[in-house]
């Protein structure tokens, strides 16, 4: 949860809405008429691109509603350019209508570059350049606008900047929300806001790690395969996972995110036979064969290790929003772990959408569960599956 500088009735959003949303533009006009200021978080310029499937002369006025999200049929270079120009025209209209009462942040455009660079896409001659959507080009079109310029962050390692997002769709992480609150709402320098947000979140992560290690009486290995682990690892940046291991919490999921240490590198920090293992597994799947290969143990080492089923716990929150759960790792026909734990979750602990991603409160909540008696501490030594120290 972020303590915003704005009251809740001043935070307005429509999922997948383009910057040319008539509803949002008119709402902003009401705020400015009352003497307020407006912060515009500009979404993907492809949002509402189904309008580009209509001939341009029949597309209607610039600002309109009824167009949300991205239609894959309109994802062509020609229609991308058309959507970019429409979006830029809308930004210009916001600027002309509200002047110094409006501040912009081109969040999705910035995030696109971060994720493209991490994936090695659109890079030639050592430089990034998207065929249509480029952050520097767009910001350069509005020299007189009040823009939260995130470009200085592009000089940092991309694995570090990626901490601003929980996924490749550029939904903000807790670090991202803290930065947006400081930079967009309070006008703080983006670099200072980023450093402050990272320090804030890392302080909470290390405090949670201390609780877990203290409760279990020594080092804890957290592994498995779950969207909860994926989301947690997205907060790690270039070296936070290694520093957490130094404090006794070893994060070594089966799914390795780009830029994160390998299982072997993590076990160089704390050997496996010194750890209390805890699993997080979608659908409480028995991951013993995969874990045995990854950690070079006998499958029996993982027998009776407590297994937390985050994905099943999210079903109630997702279906209550009239969505159908779509868990990436869940398999109905897979064998189940012998010791299964399904935590109780409040709806705000689960991000919007069908994937069951944890919010920051969801990450913290499950960490607190791991530190509690709800998750037993099962110590494993060399007598259980004879774990071997992995080579580098």
């Amino acid at each position: 949860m972020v303590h915003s500088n704005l009251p809740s009735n001043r935070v307005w959003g429509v999922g997948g809405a383009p910057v040319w949303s008539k509803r949002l533009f008119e709402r902003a006009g009401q705020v400015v008429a009352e003497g307020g200021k407006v912060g515009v978080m500009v979404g993907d310029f492809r949002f509402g691109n189904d309008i580009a499937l209509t001939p341009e002369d029949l597309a209607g006025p610039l600002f309109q509603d009824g167009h949300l999200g991205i239609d894959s049929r309109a994802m062509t270079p020609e229609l991308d350019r058309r959507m970019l120009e429409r979006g830029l025209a809308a930004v210009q209209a916001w600027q002309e209508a509200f002047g110094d009462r409006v501040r912009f942040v081109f969040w999705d455009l910035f995030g696109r570059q971060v994720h493209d660079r991490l994936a090695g896409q659109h890079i030639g001659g050592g430089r990034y350049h998207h065929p249509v959507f480029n952050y520097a080009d767009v910001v350069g079109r509005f020299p007189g606008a009040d823009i939260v310029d995130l470009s200085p962050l592009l000089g940092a390692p991309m694995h570090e900047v990626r901490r601003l997002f929980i996924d490749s769709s550029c939904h903000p992480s807790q670090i991202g929300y803290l930065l947006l609150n400081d930079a967009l709402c309070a006008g703080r320098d983006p670099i200072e806001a980023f450093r402050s947000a990272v320090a804030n979140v890392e302080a909470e992560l290390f405090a949670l790690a201390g609780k877990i290690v203290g409760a279990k009486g020594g080092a804890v290995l957290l592994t498995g395969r779950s969207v909860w682990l994926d989301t947690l690892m997205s907060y790690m940046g270039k070296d936070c996972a290694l520093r957490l291991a130094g404090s006794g919490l070893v994060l070594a999921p089966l799914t390795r995110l780009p830029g994160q240490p390998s299982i072997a590198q993590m076990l160089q920090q704390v050997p496996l036979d010194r750890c209390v293992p805890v699993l997080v597994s979608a659908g409480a799947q028995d991951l013993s064969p995969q874990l045995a290969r990854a950690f070079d143990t006998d499958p029996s080492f993982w027998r009776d290790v407590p297994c937390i089923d985050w994905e099943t716990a999210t079903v109630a929150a997702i279906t209550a929003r009239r969505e159908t759960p779509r868990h990436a790792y869940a398999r109905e026909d897979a064998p189940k772990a012998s010791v299964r734990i399904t935590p109780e979750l409040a709806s705000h602990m689960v991000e919007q959408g069908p994937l069951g991603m944890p919010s920051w409160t969801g990450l913290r909540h499950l960490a607190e569960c791991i530190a509690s008696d709800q998750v037993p501490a099962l110590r494993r030594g060399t007598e259980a599956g004879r774990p071997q120290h992995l080579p580098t």
Side-chain angles (χ1 to χ4, degrees), residues 215-281:
K216 304 309 178 194
V220 174
L221 168 70
L222 194 53
T223 186
R225 182 174 286 132
S226 167
V227 70
W228 187 89
L229 286 169
D230 288 353
T231 306
L232 176 63
M233 294 308 294
S234 72
Y235 279 85
M236 291 299 108
K238 57 187 176 67
D239 63 5
C240 187
L242 293 172
R243 288 185 284 118
L244 282 170
S247 73
L249 181 62
V250 181
L251 303 178
L254 289 172
T255 303
R256 182 183 178 186
L257 266 61
Q260 292 305 312
S262 66
I263 288 174
Q265 289 171 318
M266 294 304 294
L267 294 186
Q268 287 178 346
Q269 307 297 309
V270 185
L272 179 58
D273 54 16
R274 285 177 45 202
C275 293
V276 172
V278 176
L279 305 179
V280 186
S281 174

Side-chain angles (χ1 to χ4, degrees), residues 36 56 74 77 102 110 149 170 205 218 252 269 292 305 318 322 342 375:
E56 198 161 3
V102 62
F110 171 79
D149 187 6
C170 303
L205 287 171
Q269 307 297 309
V305 171
I318 296 171
R322 299 182 180 180
T342 304
V375 179

Side-chain angles (χ1 to χ4, degrees), residues 43-230:
D44 197 312
F45 281 104
R46 283 180 174 148
F47 282 166
N49 67 344
D50 61 330
I51 198 171
L53 299 173
T54 302
E56 198 161 3
D57 58 344
L58 300 177
L62 175 59
F63 285 95
Q64 53 182 289
D65 295 318
H67 303 276
L68 299 174
I70 297 174
D71 191 321
S72 61
R73 297 174 299 166
M75 290 174 57
T76 68
E78 177 185 355
L79 296 184
D80 278 352
R81 284 189 287 271
R82 181 171 157 189
M83 292 308 300
L84 176 62
E85 290 307 314
R86 184 181 188 92
L88 294 175
V91 172
Q92 183 65 38
W94 281 82
Q95 174 66 13
E96 291 175 355
F98 306 128
D100 62 1
R101 311 299 292 178
V102 62
R103 174 181 293 152
F104 302 94
V105 60
F106 293 95
W107 184 258
D108 283 34
L109 197 60
F110 171 79
R112 177 192 297 276
Q113 180 165 341
V114 171
H115 287 99
D116 281 353
R117 285 172 59 177
L118 280 171
Q121 296 180 335
H122 309 301
I123 295 175
R127 298 189 64 182
Y128 172 83
H129 190 270
H130 190 276
V132 179
F133 305 109
N134 291 285
Y135 183 86
D137 293 346
V138 169
V139 171
R141 290 278 292 264
F142 305 100
D146 184 356
I147 294 174
V148 176
D149 187 6
L150 301 173
S151 60
L153 291 171
L154 294 172
M158 289 298 96
H159 300 304
E160 190 69 9
V161 183
R162 191 248 182 273
R163 304 171 89 173
L164 290 167
F165 313 100
I166 58 170
D167 57 22
S168 59
S169 296
C170 303
H171 293 109
S173 66
Q174 178 77 353
I175 293 173
Y177 280 121
L178 288 169
L179 178 144
L180 285 166
N181 185 58
D182 276 0
L184 182 61
C185 301
R188 191 174 185 182
D189 174 77
I191 292 288
E192 291 181 6
F194 178 72
R195 290 172 178 163
S196 174
V198 168
N200 182 300
V201 166
E202 285 196 355
E204 292 196 57
L205 287 171
F206 277 87
L208 289 167
K211 283 187 178 181
I212 292 170
V213 173
K216 304 309 178 194
V220 174
L221 168 70
L222 194 53
T223 186
R225 182 174 286 132
S226 167
V227 70
W228 187 89
L229 286 169
D230 288 353

